[in-house]
Amino acid sequence: MKKLQIGLLVFIICLVAVSGCTSSNTTSSNNSTSSNSSSSNASASNDVNIVVNYAGSWAVDVSGPFGYRSLSGTGDQTNSIGSVSGSVTAAARKTEGGNGVLTVSITKGGKTLASQSTSAPWGGATAVATGI
């Protein structure tokens, strides 16, 4: 199981590097891990948020000018990564084989800068926001 998770992580990182990703702008930084349904640690309107909508378990690797952050949880969550300028990438993946839709979004000031979804079991989705 551990090899599968590591393999998925390597695949997602390679996919992000090769594809150049998609979507909008983003900002900020902060490293946190949580696991409450419909939770939020969003703060100031100038902060960039990573929003995950998925009923099951998930993990998100967030990178940008601040470095790298790893988030994980269960259920819908909003995580502030602080004030960021430049670009932000959020690579989310299901950590169980659920069939529901996982959506990862990058938001700032209530506006969605980038958003991607997957419905594949064990699937991943990568949102990239630039010019934040």
Side-chain angles (χ1 to χ4, degrees):
M1 184 66 154
K2 194 76 161 175
K3 288 183 181 181
L4 176 62
Q5 290 174 339
I6 292 171
L8 284 172
L9 179 59
V10 169
F11 174 76
I12 290 172
I13 290 170
C14 291
L15 181 65
V16 170
V18 171
S19 71
C21 298
T22 55
S23 297
S24 295
N25 309 4
T26 305
T27 308
S28 206
S29 68
N30 190 344
N31 188 2
S32 64
T33 301
S34 58
S35 60
N36 296 328
S37 290
S38 298
S39 70
S40 174
N41 76 351
S43 54
S45 64
N46 287 332
D47 285 357
V48 173
N49 296 299
I50 305 301
V51 181
V52 179
N53 295 108
Y54 180 59
S57 298
W58 49 266
V60 181
D61 298 320
V62 183
S63 60
F66 49 83
Y68 171 84
R69 304 286 185 267
S70 182
L71 308 170
S72 62
T74 301
D76 298 344
Q77 290 187 26
T78 299
N79 294 278
S80 173
I81 57 171
S83 179
V84 177
S85 59
S87 65
V88 173
T89 299
R93 64 195 176 282
K94 297 178 182 180
T95 56
E96 34 78 342
N99 290 319
V101 176
L102 175 145
T103 301
V104 61
S105 303
I106 302 170
T107 66
K108 181 177 181 179
K111 295 183 180 181
T112 300
L113 305 175
S115 186
Q116 291 293 312
S117 299
T118 183
S119 58
W122 299 99
T126 300
V128 178
T130 59
I132 300 169

